[in-house]
Each structure stands twice: as C-alpha cells, then as structure tokens.
Amino acid sequence: DTEVTQTPKHLVMGMTNKKSLKCEQHMGHRAMYWYKQKAKKPPELMFVYSYEKLSINESVPSRFSPECPNSSLLNLHLHALQPEDSALYLCASSQEGIRWDRDTEAFFGQGTRLTVV
Amino acid sequence: DQQVKQNSPSLSVQEGRISILNCDYTNSMFDYFLWYKKYPAEGPTFLISISSIKDKNEDGRFTVFLNKSAKHLSLHIVPSQPGDSAVYFCAAIAGGTSYGKLTFGQGTILTVHP
C-alpha cells in the first residue's frame, strides 16, 4: 500500500465556516506534510510533522491549524479563510522527515480542491 | 528567490521520440533531487530521484542526469508515449537537516503527440 488518502476531494466553504481536511497513510511513514498549490504554481510547503511533532511551520497564518493525532493521520483545520486561500491542498508522507537518503521518496495524496467563497 | 527553476513552461514531442526536461538550481546545499509527474486535479506522482553522489539514475524509460558543477539536472523519457503527457515538476532537498522540505520548480507541461 503506497497510498496517501485525502478527504474530501473537493470542499467549498464560506469565510465564516470551520472545516477540516484529512490525510491518512498506512505505510509506516513517520513524516507527514501539508503543501498548498495555487493554479499554475509549484506546490509550496506549509507544515511538516516528524514523529507526530510539528517540525516546520512555513509562516502559515493561524487560520490554518495542523494536527497530527497519530502517526497515520494528519489533519488541517480551517477557520475564517479568505478567498485567496482557494487552492489545491496536498498531503504527503515520507519514511523519515529529518534525514533524506537516496532511497527516500515523498508520496503525495490526490489533494483537496478548496474553494473559499 | 526561486531556488529551483524549470525555464521551459512547455514541451511538445512526437510519440516514440525522446523528451528532455530541464531543471536548474541555485542552492548548493541541495543534495537530493526528485522528479514528479502531475495530472490535472491530482497530486504529484513520484517518478525518479538522484542523489548528488551520482550523475545518472535510470528506471525503465526514465533517466535523470545530474551535473553538479552546472547545478543542472535533466529528465529523459525514451520512448515518449501519449500517456506521458502531464506536468513534470523537479524538486530538490537538502538532505541533512531539511526536515523534509521539498522545493519545487515551476513545472513543465509535456505534450506527447501520437
């Protein structure tokens, strides 16, 4: 099983709503990531969890709140978003987050297409 | 400051011919490089990677070449197939203390014509 599963696939939310994005992997990976991808742009890192601890927060606004309940699950809680936050949100995982070697791969989920209205 | 650059936004190739996708980087701390393929509305799919101790890595139809002195890498697809049509992202990482931070290029749209 080399899958990273993200739900929902599509989400439309108002600026006052609270919603959550979910990500799950069962590969035993100890690092999980949230990336954001705007149209015609490369994915940009938001957060990294390594061994269920937040390792990197790329100066993401507090209206995005990550959570790693266990080693297989990663959530992204959304509150009071702006229309410019509309994007494809990608979850990824890799075996180790701290050190990469030639066998390290990062597996991505299919993403959640978020539209903020 | 864009540390990973893919200067060709698009590439069009005939089926059966070679596709060559290029990527340049500026950060000399990068020591692992990965290529991803992405279809619209899907997440990136890992294709192939190379570490800085090698200059070539092959996997089936895909070969990645790394020129460290020029800070340049390329992905060769031979022979190209229509199913290869997608956006290709080059990504780089500094392996030691990066906490898994991949830096992506802008992507190149590859179209393979039958």
Side-chain angles (χ1 to χ4, degrees):
Chain A
D1 180 9
T2 57
E3 271 197 17
V4 175
T5 304
Q6 288 187 244
T7 55
K9 287 193 168 35
H10 301 275
L11 178 62
V12 179
M13 62 184 289
M15 289 188 282
T16 58
N17 290 160
K18 282 186 182 180
K19 295 285 185 185
S20 296
L21 309 185
K22 295 186 184 303
C23 175
E24 194 167 357
Q25 58 86 16
H26 296 287
M27 294 177 276
H29 288 175
R30 303 316 302 267
M32 296 185 76
Y33 315 81
W34 282 113
Y35 281 82
K36 173 181 177 178
Q37 186 175 21
K38 301 278 278 184
K40 298 184 181 179
K41 296 282 189 184
E44 291 183 350
L45 183 68
M46 299 174 72
F47 302 103
V48 180
Y49 272 84
S50 182
Y51 289 86
E52 298 153 55
K53 287 189 169 51
L54 184 63
S55 302
I56 291 182
N57 176 341
E58 289 285 301
S59 303
V60 180
S62 59
R63 57 186 185 268
F64 295 91
S65 175
E67 180 199 16
C68 190
N70 60 56
S71 60
S72 299
L73 293 174
L74 186 66
N75 298 322
L76 186 63
H77 302 298
L78 314 172
H79 175 53
L81 294 195
Q82 304 296 312
E84 59 264 29
D85 296 320
S86 299
L88 181 68
Y89 288 84
L90 294 162
C91 174
S93 71
S94 65
Q95 193 164 9
E96 295 284 346
I98 297 174
R99 294 197 176 275
W100 280 57
D101 62 28
R102 62 178 175 272
D103 296 320
T104 302
E105 301 173 25
F107 292 87
F108 282 81
Q110 295 218 345
T112 294
R113 176 70 60 187
L114 174 68
T115 304
V116 181
V117 298
Chain B
D1 173 31
Q2 202 172 337
Q3 298 184 59
V4 178
K5 295 179 187 177
Q6 293 175 256
N7 291 318
S8 298
S10 63
L11 175 68
S12 184
V13 170
Q14 203 70 26
E15 182 179 6
R17 308 293 290 264
I18 184 171
S19 296
I20 301 177
L21 299 123
N22 293 305
C23 179
D24 296 293
Y25 62 96
T26 56
N27 188 341
S28 56
M29 298 299 291
F30 289 146
D31 53 4
Y32 293 98
F33 304 90
L34 304 91
W35 283 94
Y36 284 86
K37 172 180 175 179
K38 187 178 183 300
Y39 294 114
E42 291 187 10
T45 303
F46 172 78
L47 278 175
I48 192 168
S49 65
I50 189 166
S51 78
S52 58
I53 62 171
K54 297 176 116 179
D55 54 20
K56 179 182 172 182
N57 190 24
E58 273 183 271
D59 185 0
R61 296 187 297 116
F62 302 93
T63 303
V64 57
F65 296 92
L66 175 63
N67 182 333
K68 272 186 69 178
S69 59
K71 293 191 175 68
H72 176 84
L73 62 154
S74 60
L75 174 69
H76 292 212
I77 306 173
V78 182
S80 301
Q81 298 172 355
D84 296 328
S85 298
V87 180
Y88 288 77
F89 287 99
C90 166
I93 188 167
T97 56
S98 63
Y99 287 92
K101 180 179 177 178
L102 284 169
T103 301
F104 285 84
Q106 296 282 73
T108 297
I109 301 170
L110 173 66
T111 304
V112 180
H113 297 284

